[in-house]
Each structure stands twice: as structure tokens, then as C-alpha cells.
Amino acid sequence: MSYVKNNLMPGERIVYSAKLSLWSLAPLIVIGLILCVFLIGFLILLHVFLKYISTELAITNRRVIAKSGFIRRDTVELDIRRIESVRVTQGIFGRMLGFGSIIVAGAGNPQAPIAGISQPMVFRQVFNEEREGLLSNPSSILASQS
């Protein structure tokens, strides 16, 4: 079971879930395949696999949750109403292949940077729609809490 699903509050639901793009991990995958003759190649591929399966980014109707790490865990959970900006950066290959980095910044400047997310513009659009819905109808939070 995922970290996000295990840590939902009563009445909270996942609106959008993002994964890492394999394109963003392609350089490490190629290096790992080239070095498979040696043990280091398998270790690189294991690192890529663990990074891919252990990184989660989700928008719920209340929060943005980012989690990375397999043994050592790093999490950031920001109240959707307190988020001031969602910054998307994409290089030329990221734009062509549909991946990029997202930095979610909230009040007090906590930041949740996630690199190599698949379809970051979709993430930003869903976040903006969910946030706009909460800000225009703040009673929806109270209704979901009861």
C-alpha cells in the first residue's frame, strides 16, 4: 500500500497522483545497462528501480503530498490552501518527452522539489483547479470533515 493512501485523513481523497518519468531516468538506465557486465551496473539499475517505485506525488482535496525514499524516507505535506506557488521547469528534452521538475512552495517557504515527474503541466493544472475550488467554496472542507 502506498504512503499517500496510508496517510489520508478522514474525508480526504486523492484527486491526482503523479509518477516519475522513465525518460528522466533514461541516462542512469543506459549507464546501468552498459555496466551490467560489472556489478556496478546492477546496483545502478537497482537504484533506478527503487527510486521509481518509492517516489510518490499526490494532490488530495486538502493537501499536496510528496514522498521519496525507500529505506530513508523524505516527505513533505503542504495544506493546499497554504501553497503559494507551483513552479514547473522543463528542458528541451523534458518538453519533447513529457517530463519535468516541480517545486511546490508554501507559506513560510517550505518547498517540495520533485525532479523528473511525468506530465508536470497536468499536475499544475489539476492543482490549480483543486485550489480554486477550495478557495471559492471553503465550506467544502468543513463538509468533508464531518
Side-chain angles (χ1 to χ4, degrees), residues 7-8 14 21 28 40 59 64 70 73 81 109 112 114-115 118 140:
N7 290 287
L8 291 177
I14 297 172
S21 169
L28 285 176
I40 189 80
I59 301 170
V64 172
F70 183 69
R73 182 183 303 168
R81 295 167 297 165
N109 205 24
I114 303 287
S118 184
S140 64

Side-chain angles (χ1 to χ4, degrees), residues 13-70:
R13 62 180 166 69
I14 297 172
V15 176
Y16 183 77
S17 188
K19 292 293 287 175
L20 285 181
S21 169
L22 287 175
W23 287 112
S24 69
L25 300 170
L28 285 176
I29 293 171
V30 169
I31 291 169
L33 290 173
I34 290 171
L35 297 176
C36 266
V37 176
F38 307 103
L39 178 62
I40 189 80
F42 290 110
L43 293 176
I44 291 171
L45 291 174
L46 178 64
H47 167 73
V48 168
F49 175 73
L50 291 176
K51 183 174 183 172
Y52 181 77
I53 66 166
S54 66
T55 302
E56 297 179 57
L57 183 61
I59 301 170
T60 73
N61 58 332
R62 295 183 188 169
R63 303 179 283 172
V64 172
I65 302 170
K67 178 256 182 194
S68 63
F70 183 69

Side-chain angles (χ1 to χ4, degrees), residues 117-133:
I117 293 296
S118 184
Q119 303 302 324
M121 299 303 285
V122 174
F123 178 90
R124 187 177 71 179
Q125 178 182 353
V126 171
F127 166 79
N128 286 334
E129 289 170 358
E130 191 65 24
R131 185 167 187 260
E132 188 63 33

